[in-house]
Amino acid sequence: MNSTLRGLAYIKIRDKILKLDYLPGQKISEQAIMTEIELGRTPTREAVIQLESDGFLNVIPQSGTYISKINLNSVRNACFARENIEKEVIKEVALSHSLADIDKLSKIIELQKFYAGIKDIENFSKVDEDFHKHLYYISNKEELWDWLDPLNSQLTRFRWLRLKVTEQKWQNAINQHLAIINAITNFNPNGAEIIMQKHLHAILDDQPKIVSKFPNYFTNI
């Protein structure tokens, strides 16, 4: 039971960090965390220890517990990995897919449009990730997606900031996903690769703007 509660505490706290409910650099007490995630002291403390080990928290003696800042070097590395892996994934998908795969991807985009319309950043981000995850599923590369998860954590926080700065990025993402589907449908691996690289690299193109707006949220600028 304790292990289960520790895991639940870990997931809840990590989720709050990734979704910027806890801001980069913010000082927070274990008591406050306990109250917000509605779990006891022991599982919360054990989760905090694990989150510190994973780089999400900084525990400074005689000072307190702080949410780690976003490591821009990790963001850049995650983008590099995603660009180079996903361009190969998308080429495989373009060459080998079913009508059911296209239908699934199209339904995900419809959900994106809906969440963009009601400005639901949480669910918009979730289905955005679902779109990319499903490409790995189609190409039988689910293990690679899971392997990328630790790298994606810093990138996820950066993406949330990016979406908060301008809603225009929401529509841009939808349009690029539609273009990717079009290339896949037409069995155009080279076109799909080009669009995917542009889509993923756009995150880094916005880095100066995001850092300028939130300079205290980052390390390795």
Side-chain angles (χ1 to χ4, degrees):
M1 175 64 73
N2 189 47
S3 176
T4 301
L5 289 177
R6 180 178 67 243
L8 180 59
Y10 179 93
I11 291 170
K12 284 189 171 188
I13 301 168
R14 183 177 185 268
D15 195 51
K16 285 183 174 293
I17 294 171
L18 292 179
K19 294 177 181 176
L20 303 179
D21 292 332
Y22 295 154
L23 296 175
Q26 175 185 343
K27 183 177 182 179
I28 190 164
S29 67
E30 283 190 18
Q31 183 60 51
I33 294 173
M34 286 167 49
T35 300
E36 293 186 16
I37 68 173
E38 299 180 325
L39 288 171
R41 182 174 300 280
T42 299
T44 299
R45 179 165 294 170
E46 291 175 346
V48 164
I49 292 171
Q50 184 61 52
L51 286 159
E52 181 187 17
S53 176
D54 291 346
F56 289 103
L57 295 173
N58 294 319
V59 179
I60 303 174
Q62 280 75 53
S63 179
T65 300
Y66 298 83
I67 308 301
S68 67
K69 295 187 177 184
I70 300 171
N71 187 325
L72 275 182
N73 195 49
S74 294
V75 172
R76 290 187 285 264
N77 285 338
C79 283
F80 178 85
R82 288 281 298 270
E83 280 186 50
N84 283 279
I85 292 173
E86 227 149 298
K87 71 179 185 180
E88 299 301 323
V89 168
I90 197 65
K91 286 193 290 186
E92 289 192 23
V93 172
L95 291 171
S96 180
H97 59 270
S98 67
L99 289 176
D101 294 327
I102 298 297
D103 183 59
K104 172 68 174 179
L105 291 170
S106 298
K107 286 179 178 177
I108 291 173
I109 291 180
E110 289 306 309
L111 281 174
Q112 271 198 294
K113 291 178 180 178
F114 172 75
Y115 291 128
I118 62 174
K119 298 179 176 59
D120 184 338
I121 187 172
E122 179 172 350
N123 281 306
F124 181 89
S125 295
K126 180 181 182 301
V127 295
D128 183 276
E129 286 294 284
D130 286 345
F131 180 88
H132 290 268
K133 183 177 182 179
H134 194 63
L135 296 173
Y136 286 74
Y137 173 82
I138 296 170
S139 59
N140 294 313
K141 302 254 184 330
E142 304 100 307
E143 286 182 345
L144 277 180
W145 180 264
D146 294 337
W147 175 75
L148 284 167
D149 184 64
L151 275 177
N152 276 331
S153 62
Q154 297 284 358
L155 181 58
T156 297
R157 291 204 288 169
F158 186 87
R159 287 177 56 249
W160 270 71
L161 278 178
R162 184 170 176 256
L163 289 173
K164 285 176 178 289
V165 168
T166 171
E167 291 175 12
Q168 179 62 34
K169 303 304 177 185
W170 301 33
Q171 190 58 51
N172 287 349
I174 292 170
N175 291 341
Q176 288 169 340
H177 283 176
L178 287 169
I180 288 168
I181 288 183
N182 184 60
I184 293 171
T185 303
N186 289 298
F187 294 90
N188 181 1
N190 292 332
E193 176 188 3
I194 290 169
I195 299 164
M196 180 60 79
Q197 282 191 291
K198 180 179 179 181
H199 175 59
L200 292 173
H201 198 78
I203 297 171
L204 290 184
D205 292 338
D206 290 328
Q207 178 181 307
K209 182 177 181 179
I210 306 302
V211 173
S212 175
K213 190 172 181 65
F214 304 100
N216 295 323
Y217 287 1
F218 299 97
T219 60
N220 291 324
I221 295 176

